[in-house]
Amino acid sequence: MAMLSTSLSAAGSKSAATLYSPPNFSGLRRSSCPTLDNPSSNSLHLFDSQLRLPSLSARRPCRAVVAMAGTGKFFVGGNWKCNGTKESITKLVSDLNDAKLESDVDVVVAPPFVYIDQVKSSLTDKIEISAQNSWVSKGGAFTGEISVEQLKDIGAKWVILGHSERRHVIGEDDLFIGKKAAYALNEGLGVIACIGELLEDREAGKTFDVCFTQLKAYADAVPSWDNIVIAYEPVWAIGTGKVASPQQAQEVHAALRDWLKKNVSDEVASKTRIIYGGSVNGGNCAELAKQEDIDGFLVGGASLKGPEFATIVNSVTSKKVAA
């Protein structure tokens, strides 16, 4: 299908890039923040130091106070992907029900479609249900697809769209993903809108161009930003054990918020939650959560372990004022 084309047009990429013109940065520089220069030994697996990402440190200096730049509630989603059996999911749900979770966090889990009903009927109502994908329009003769209407009927409140595995394995392009997001929002589902660059994009210095192009596709299509959470997931960090350093993640999140401010509105930039995904776990979540533009996480493998997922949810406490 034409709508599933894997390539973006050159014109589309150019137009998105011209909507945001960051200052001339010299490259990724080490910050004077102690938490970035001297991360704890168990907190992060830093990515290859040869990678270069334009630095925002000249514009956004280190702060003594750790807080959220946005005004939205901390948000943590667990993407279970194509994992689990009835037995293992029963155990996972039991662990989540037993976990003590901070109350000031929106928590969502995304089981495989076939287990949504099982999870919905047994999971605490403190945690909402998300789907991992949805069709671009009303249901019908679309073999293998799941419609938004069906998801709502079974109790889902959210859907993950634009995940890199849908983009780069299944072949969904920006235009198609934007249309899917618009339809889901129009029908009353919240959207976890994923974006992120490939390793070759980052090495070529195209992180911002790629992320802005993907973000623009959502902006061009969606009717409102009221029920959207942006998930920045660098593809090179998904499932690899390599995690963006707090500085790397913060720089991209800050740039995304600036893009929203310049191209949508100040209000949307402030209210829209921008969460990080990419090998987030119980050991690195606290340092990442301290960054002011990181409003939560989209968690993969670690979300399949109830106690560890609870640790990630409770990393919201890292948003408190630093001594």
Side-chain angles (χ1 to χ4, degrees), residues 217-241:
Y218 289 115
D220 287 346
V222 300
S224 167
W225 288 83
D226 289 344
N227 211 15
I228 299 177
V229 172
I230 297 170
Y232 167 60
E233 295 194 299
V235 182
W236 48 266
I238 297 175
T240 64

Side-chain angles (χ1 to χ4, degrees), residues 66-90:
V66 178
M68 289 176 71
T71 59
K73 195 175 182 181
F74 203 71
F75 185 104
V76 177
N79 181 8
W80 298 358
K81 303 189 179 183
C82 190
N83 292 297
T85 62
K86 287 196 294 184
E87 181 180 2
S88 68
I89 286 176
T90 296

